[in-house]
């Protein structure tokens, strides 16, 4: 695991949002064991975890090719409220009750008043 999926992050990156999994972990409110390198082992999907870390690093998220349901689950697991909100907005934009057409109408050209 160490050689393949070790992700190093600064403490500041991980704790800029209050009351998350990471603030609990780094304040010892969540029990954990460090490995021989002094790293925390977090047993989560590495692909989704990298999206989470990129969000924490940049405050932006690229959801291209990402399963939003799975990402939402991970964001909820880690308690990352700003990301949860962002995913909810993106999900609502993908579901329009009108189908794919948001507005369609034929408007007559204005006529000159005499």
């Amino acid at each position: 695991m160490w050689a393949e999926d070790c992700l190093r992050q600064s403490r500041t990156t991980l704790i800029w949002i209050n009351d998350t999994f990471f603030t609990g972990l780094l304040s010892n409110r969540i029990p954990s064991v460090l490995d021989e390198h002094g790293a925390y082992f977090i047993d989560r999907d590495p692909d989704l975890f990298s999206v989470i870390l990129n969000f924490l690093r940049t405050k932006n998220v690229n959801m291209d090719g990402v399963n939003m349901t799975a990402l939402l689950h991970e964001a909820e697991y880690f308690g990352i409220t700003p990301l949860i909100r962002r995913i909810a907005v993106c999900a609502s934009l993908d579901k329009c009750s009108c189908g794919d057409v948001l507005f369609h109408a034929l408007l007559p050209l204005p006529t000159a008043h005499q």
Side-chain angles (χ1 to χ4, degrees), residues 47-95:
D47 295 329
L48 293 171
F49 192 63
S50 68
V51 175
I52 299 275
L53 293 177
N54 282 334
F55 176 78
L56 292 173
R57 199 179 298 116
T58 65
K59 299 175 180 65
N60 289 307
V61 61
N62 179 354
M63 289 190 249
D64 292 339
V66 175
N67 179 322
M68 284 203 306
T69 303
L71 183 59
L72 177 60
H73 177 75
E74 293 298 294
E76 289 171 341
Y77 176 84
F78 290 115
I80 304 172
T81 305
L83 181 56
I84 294 167
R85 288 184 191 134
R86 176 103 34 112
I87 295 167
V89 167
C90 290
S92 70
L93 292 175
D94 283 345
K95 296 177 186 172

Side-chain angles (χ1 to χ4, degrees):
M1 177 71 179
W2 173 257
E4 295 176 21
D5 295 328
C6 177
L7 300 169
R8 296 176 188 225
Q9 298 300 311
S10 75
R11 181 180 191 87
T12 306
T13 297
L14 295 175
I15 64 170
W16 69 268
I17 302 170
N18 293 325
D19 298 322
T20 68
F21 171 88
F22 300 108
T23 58
L25 182 70
L26 296 174
S27 68
N28 296 319
R29 290 186 317 230
I30 296 175
S32 60
V33 177
L34 300 177
D35 70 7
E36 66 274 7
H37 303 283
Y40 293 96
F41 176 73
I42 301 172
D43 189 17
R44 304 304 289 180
D45 180 298
D47 295 329
L48 293 171
F49 192 63
S50 68
V51 175
I52 299 275
L53 293 177
N54 282 334
F55 176 78
L56 292 173
R57 199 179 298 116
T58 65
K59 299 175 180 65
N60 289 307
V61 61
N62 179 354
M63 289 190 249
D64 292 339
V66 175
N67 179 322
M68 284 203 306
T69 303
L71 183 59
L72 177 60
H73 177 75
E74 293 298 294
E76 289 171 341
Y77 176 84
F78 290 115
I80 304 172
T81 305
L83 181 56
I84 294 167
R85 288 184 191 134
R86 176 103 34 112
I87 295 167
V89 167
C90 290
S92 70
L93 292 175
D94 283 345
K95 296 177 186 172
C96 175
S97 61
C98 301
D100 289 337
V101 178
L102 296 177
F103 180 80
H104 177 62
L106 177 61
L107 300 175
L109 293 172
T111 58
H113 294 306
Q114 294 181 355

